[in-house]
Short mmCIF file of all heavy atoms in Angstrom, two decimals:
data_model
loop_
_atom_site.label_atom_id
_atom_site.label_comp_id
_atom_site.label_asym_id
_atom_site.label_seq_id
_atom_site.Cartn_x
_atom_site.Cartn_y
_atom_site.Cartn_z
N SER A 20 14.37 30.59 7.29
CA SER A 20 13.69 29.75 8.38
C SER A 20 14.62 29.69 9.53
O SER A 20 15.87 29.56 9.41
CB SER A 20 13.42 28.34 7.81
OG SER A 20 12.53 28.39 6.68
N LYS A 21 14.08 29.75 10.75
CA LYS A 21 14.89 29.68 11.98
C LYS A 21 14.46 28.50 12.86
O LYS A 21 13.23 28.23 12.96
CB LYS A 21 14.77 31.01 12.76
CG LYS A 21 15.35 32.22 11.98
CD LYS A 21 15.39 33.46 12.79
CE LYS A 21 15.99 34.61 11.97
NZ LYS A 21 16.12 35.86 12.79
N PHE A 22 15.42 27.84 13.45
CA PHE A 22 15.19 26.60 14.19
C PHE A 22 15.89 26.68 15.52
O PHE A 22 16.94 27.31 15.71
CB PHE A 22 15.72 25.40 13.37
CG PHE A 22 15.05 25.30 11.99
CD1 PHE A 22 15.69 25.96 10.91
CD2 PHE A 22 13.94 24.62 11.79
CE1 PHE A 22 15.09 25.83 9.64
CE2 PHE A 22 13.31 24.48 10.52
CZ PHE A 22 13.96 25.15 9.46
N GLN A 23 15.34 25.84 16.43
CA GLN A 23 15.96 25.68 17.76
C GLN A 23 15.82 24.22 18.16
O GLN A 23 14.74 23.61 18.09
CB GLN A 23 15.30 26.60 18.73
CG GLN A 23 15.91 26.53 20.13
CD GLN A 23 15.26 27.44 21.11
OE1 GLN A 23 14.04 27.33 21.37
NE2 GLN A 23 15.99 28.38 21.69
N GLN A 24 17.00 23.65 18.54
CA GLN A 24 16.96 22.27 19.17
C GLN A 24 17.48 22.41 20.56
O GLN A 24 18.69 22.59 20.77
CB GLN A 24 17.85 21.28 18.34
CG GLN A 24 17.91 19.94 18.88
CD GLN A 24 16.53 19.27 19.12
OE1 GLN A 24 16.06 19.33 20.25
NE2 GLN A 24 15.93 18.73 18.05
N LYS A 25 16.56 22.26 21.52
CA LYS A 25 16.94 22.52 22.91
C LYS A 25 17.43 21.29 23.66
O LYS A 25 17.95 21.40 24.73
CB LYS A 25 15.68 23.05 23.67
CG LYS A 25 15.25 24.39 23.16
CD LYS A 25 14.09 24.95 23.96
CE LYS A 25 12.81 24.22 23.73
NZ LYS A 25 11.63 24.81 24.45
N THR A 26 17.26 20.09 22.99
CA THR A 26 17.73 18.85 23.61
C THR A 26 19.07 18.47 22.96
O THR A 26 19.13 18.44 21.74
CB THR A 26 16.71 17.75 23.40
OG1 THR A 26 15.46 18.13 23.97
CG2 THR A 26 17.17 16.45 24.12
N PRO A 27 20.08 18.19 23.76
CA PRO A 27 21.40 17.89 23.16
C PRO A 27 21.35 16.65 22.23
O PRO A 27 20.69 15.63 22.58
CB PRO A 27 22.29 17.62 24.40
CG PRO A 27 21.61 18.28 25.56
CD PRO A 27 20.14 18.17 25.22
N ILE A 28 22.02 16.79 21.07
CA ILE A 28 22.08 15.69 20.09
C ILE A 28 23.50 15.48 19.69
O ILE A 28 24.34 16.36 19.74
CB ILE A 28 21.22 16.03 18.85
CG1 ILE A 28 21.83 17.28 18.12
CG2 ILE A 28 19.77 16.23 19.20
CD1 ILE A 28 21.27 17.50 16.70
N PRO A 29 23.84 14.28 19.26
CA PRO A 29 25.16 14.03 18.63
C PRO A 29 25.11 14.59 17.21
O PRO A 29 24.08 14.78 16.65
CB PRO A 29 25.24 12.51 18.62
CG PRO A 29 23.84 12.02 18.59
CD PRO A 29 23.04 13.01 19.37
N SER A 30 26.31 14.74 16.64
CA SER A 30 26.42 15.44 15.31
C SER A 30 25.63 14.69 14.24
O SER A 30 25.13 15.31 13.29
CB SER A 30 27.87 15.60 14.97
OG SER A 30 28.54 14.34 15.04
N TYR A 31 25.56 13.34 14.31
CA TYR A 31 24.91 12.58 13.20
C TYR A 31 23.40 12.86 13.15
O TYR A 31 22.79 12.47 12.17
CB TYR A 31 25.24 11.11 13.35
CG TYR A 31 24.56 10.33 14.43
CD1 TYR A 31 23.26 9.88 14.22
CD2 TYR A 31 25.21 10.00 15.62
CE1 TYR A 31 22.57 9.17 15.24
CE2 TYR A 31 24.57 9.28 16.62
CZ TYR A 31 23.25 8.85 16.42
OH TYR A 31 22.63 8.12 17.43
N LEU A 32 22.87 13.50 14.17
CA LEU A 32 21.41 13.76 14.12
C LEU A 32 21.13 15.16 13.62
O LEU A 32 19.96 15.61 13.61
CB LEU A 32 20.83 13.57 15.53
CG LEU A 32 20.76 12.13 16.03
CD1 LEU A 32 20.13 12.09 17.43
CD2 LEU A 32 19.97 11.25 15.04
N LEU A 33 22.17 15.90 13.18
CA LEU A 33 21.90 17.16 12.52
C LEU A 33 21.37 16.89 11.14
O LEU A 33 21.93 16.08 10.40
CB LEU A 33 23.23 17.92 12.47
CG LEU A 33 23.16 19.35 11.88
CD1 LEU A 33 22.39 20.27 12.74
CD2 LEU A 33 24.58 19.92 11.64
N ALA A 34 20.26 17.55 10.78
CA ALA A 34 19.64 17.24 9.48
C ALA A 34 19.01 18.46 8.88
O ALA A 34 18.60 19.39 9.56
CB ALA A 34 18.55 16.19 9.70
N ILE A 35 19.02 18.48 7.54
CA ILE A 35 18.45 19.60 6.75
C ILE A 35 17.74 19.04 5.55
O ILE A 35 18.18 18.05 4.96
CB ILE A 35 19.56 20.63 6.34
CG1 ILE A 35 18.98 21.74 5.42
CG2 ILE A 35 20.71 19.89 5.68
CD1 ILE A 35 19.98 22.78 5.04
N VAL A 36 16.62 19.67 5.18
CA VAL A 36 15.96 19.38 3.92
C VAL A 36 15.42 20.67 3.42
O VAL A 36 14.86 21.49 4.15
CB VAL A 36 14.90 18.32 4.08
CG1 VAL A 36 13.80 18.73 5.11
CG2 VAL A 36 14.24 17.92 2.75
N VAL A 37 15.50 20.87 2.11
CA VAL A 37 14.96 22.03 1.45
C VAL A 37 14.32 21.55 0.16
O VAL A 37 14.99 20.98 -0.66
CB VAL A 37 16.03 23.13 1.17
CG1 VAL A 37 15.36 24.29 0.44
CG2 VAL A 37 16.71 23.54 2.38
N GLY A 38 12.97 21.81 -0.03
CA GLY A 38 12.33 21.40 -1.17
C GLY A 38 10.92 21.90 -1.25
O GLY A 38 10.42 22.58 -0.29
N ALA A 39 10.16 21.49 -2.28
CA ALA A 39 8.77 21.86 -2.42
C ALA A 39 7.94 20.94 -1.57
O ALA A 39 7.43 19.93 -2.07
CB ALA A 39 8.36 21.86 -3.88
N LEU A 40 7.80 21.28 -0.33
CA LEU A 40 7.17 20.31 0.63
C LEU A 40 5.88 20.91 1.19
O LEU A 40 5.77 22.11 1.42
CB LEU A 40 8.18 20.02 1.78
CG LEU A 40 9.49 19.37 1.38
CD1 LEU A 40 10.49 19.39 2.53
CD2 LEU A 40 9.24 17.92 0.93
N VAL A 41 4.94 20.02 1.47
CA VAL A 41 3.69 20.37 2.11
C VAL A 41 3.52 19.42 3.29
O VAL A 41 4.16 18.34 3.37
CB VAL A 41 2.51 20.32 1.16
CG1 VAL A 41 2.65 21.41 0.09
CG2 VAL A 41 2.36 18.94 0.55
N SER A 42 2.60 19.78 4.23
CA SER A 42 2.37 18.89 5.39
C SER A 42 0.90 18.62 5.61
O SER A 42 0.04 19.35 5.10
CB SER A 42 3.00 19.53 6.65
OG SER A 42 2.30 20.71 6.98
N LYS A 43 0.68 17.60 6.41
CA LYS A 43 -0.68 17.18 6.76
C LYS A 43 -0.63 16.56 8.18
O LYS A 43 0.20 15.71 8.43
CB LYS A 43 -1.20 16.18 5.77
CG LYS A 43 -2.71 15.92 5.88
CD LYS A 43 -3.25 15.15 4.70
CE LYS A 43 -4.76 14.98 4.73
NZ LYS A 43 -5.31 14.27 3.52
N PRO A 44 -1.51 17.04 9.11
CA PRO A 44 -1.48 16.47 10.41
C PRO A 44 -1.88 15.03 10.45
O PRO A 44 -2.74 14.54 9.76
CB PRO A 44 -2.59 17.34 11.17
CG PRO A 44 -2.76 18.54 10.36
CD PRO A 44 -2.51 18.08 8.93
N ILE A 45 -1.13 14.26 11.34
CA ILE A 45 -1.46 12.84 11.53
C ILE A 45 -1.54 12.46 12.99
O ILE A 45 -1.58 11.31 13.34
CB ILE A 45 -0.42 11.93 10.81
CG1 ILE A 45 1.01 12.20 11.22
CG2 ILE A 45 -0.60 12.02 9.31
CD1 ILE A 45 2.00 11.26 10.69
N GLY A 46 -1.49 13.46 13.93
CA GLY A 46 -1.54 13.15 15.30
C GLY A 46 -1.38 14.44 16.12
O GLY A 46 -1.07 15.49 15.60
N PRO A 47 -1.59 14.38 17.45
CA PRO A 47 -1.51 15.57 18.30
C PRO A 47 -0.20 16.30 18.17
O PRO A 47 -0.17 17.54 18.29
CB PRO A 47 -1.71 14.99 19.70
CG PRO A 47 -2.42 13.66 19.52
CD PRO A 47 -1.89 13.18 18.21
N ILE A 48 0.95 15.61 18.02
CA ILE A 48 2.24 16.29 17.94
C ILE A 48 2.94 15.95 16.62
O ILE A 48 4.12 16.17 16.52
CB ILE A 48 3.14 15.90 19.11
CG1 ILE A 48 3.46 14.43 19.15
CG2 ILE A 48 2.57 16.36 20.45
CD1 ILE A 48 4.58 14.06 20.10
N SER A 49 2.14 15.44 15.66
CA SER A 49 2.78 14.94 14.41
C SER A 49 2.13 15.42 13.15
O SER A 49 0.89 15.53 13.11
CB SER A 49 2.78 13.40 14.40
OG SER A 49 3.42 12.87 15.52
N SER A 50 2.95 15.72 12.19
CA SER A 50 2.51 15.95 10.78
C SER A 50 3.38 15.11 9.92
O SER A 50 4.53 14.77 10.23
CB SER A 50 2.62 17.41 10.40
OG SER A 50 1.69 18.20 11.10
N VAL A 51 2.94 14.85 8.72
CA VAL A 51 3.76 14.16 7.70
C VAL A 51 4.02 15.21 6.62
O VAL A 51 3.17 15.99 6.23
CB VAL A 51 3.08 12.91 7.08
CG1 VAL A 51 1.81 13.22 6.35
CG2 VAL A 51 4.08 12.18 6.19
N TRP A 52 5.30 15.28 6.19
CA TRP A 52 5.70 16.16 5.09
C TRP A 52 6.09 15.31 3.85
O TRP A 52 6.65 14.23 3.99
CB TRP A 52 6.94 16.96 5.54
CG TRP A 52 6.73 17.93 6.62
CD1 TRP A 52 6.72 17.70 7.95
CD2 TRP A 52 6.48 19.34 6.47
NE1 TRP A 52 6.46 18.84 8.67
CE2 TRP A 52 6.34 19.87 7.76
CE3 TRP A 52 6.42 20.18 5.37
CZ2 TRP A 52 6.12 21.24 7.98
CZ3 TRP A 52 6.17 21.53 5.59
CH2 TRP A 52 6.03 22.04 6.90
N ALA A 53 5.74 15.87 2.72
CA ALA A 53 6.08 15.21 1.42
C ALA A 53 5.91 16.18 0.33
O ALA A 53 5.31 17.33 0.56
CB ALA A 53 5.21 13.95 1.24
N GLU A 54 6.24 15.83 -0.88
CA GLU A 54 5.84 16.62 -1.98
C GLU A 54 4.32 16.43 -2.18
O GLU A 54 3.73 15.46 -1.78
CB GLU A 54 6.59 16.17 -3.28
CG GLU A 54 8.12 16.49 -3.23
CD GLU A 54 8.77 16.21 -4.52
OE1 GLU A 54 8.50 16.87 -5.51
OE2 GLU A 54 9.64 15.26 -4.53
N GLN A 55 3.70 17.46 -2.78
CA GLN A 55 2.26 17.48 -2.95
C GLN A 55 1.68 16.19 -3.53
O GLN A 55 0.64 15.71 -3.07
CB GLN A 55 1.85 18.66 -3.82
CG GLN A 55 0.34 18.83 -3.92
CD GLN A 55 -0.37 19.17 -2.64
OE1 GLN A 55 -0.06 20.23 -2.04
NE2 GLN A 55 -1.28 18.33 -2.19
N GLU A 56 2.42 15.61 -4.47
CA GLU A 56 1.92 14.42 -5.17
C GLU A 56 1.82 13.21 -4.26
O GLU A 56 1.11 12.27 -4.61
CB GLU A 56 2.83 14.09 -6.38
CG GLU A 56 2.82 15.12 -7.47
CD GLU A 56 3.63 16.41 -7.17
OE1 GLU A 56 4.33 16.43 -6.07
OE2 GLU A 56 3.57 17.37 -7.92
N GLN A 57 2.47 13.21 -3.11
CA GLN A 57 2.49 12.03 -2.24
C GLN A 57 1.77 12.31 -0.89
O GLN A 57 1.69 11.35 -0.08
CB GLN A 57 3.89 11.59 -1.99
CG GLN A 57 4.61 10.93 -3.16
CD GLN A 57 5.98 10.40 -2.71
OE1 GLN A 57 6.80 11.11 -2.17
NE2 GLN A 57 6.20 9.12 -2.94
N ILE A 58 1.37 13.50 -0.59
CA ILE A 58 0.99 13.82 0.80
C ILE A 58 -0.17 13.05 1.26
O ILE A 58 -0.17 12.56 2.41
CB ILE A 58 0.83 15.35 0.90
CG1 ILE A 58 0.67 15.70 2.41
CG2 ILE A 58 -0.39 15.84 0.14
CD1 ILE A 58 1.88 15.52 3.22
N ASP A 59 -1.20 12.86 0.45
CA ASP A 59 -2.37 12.11 0.94
C ASP A 59 -2.09 10.64 1.18
O ASP A 59 -2.53 10.08 2.15
CB ASP A 59 -3.57 12.29 -0.07
CG ASP A 59 -4.08 13.70 -0.08
OD1 ASP A 59 -3.97 14.47 0.89
OD2 ASP A 59 -4.63 14.11 -1.15
#
């Protein structure tokens, strides 16, 4: 997976997650991610 953060951030806002995740849209620019059992 490849990522780009174009807006400058402090180091404490660097974040990573790797897991069995799925997503569901909740708004024009938003989705929620969770494991399948919690997504709905």
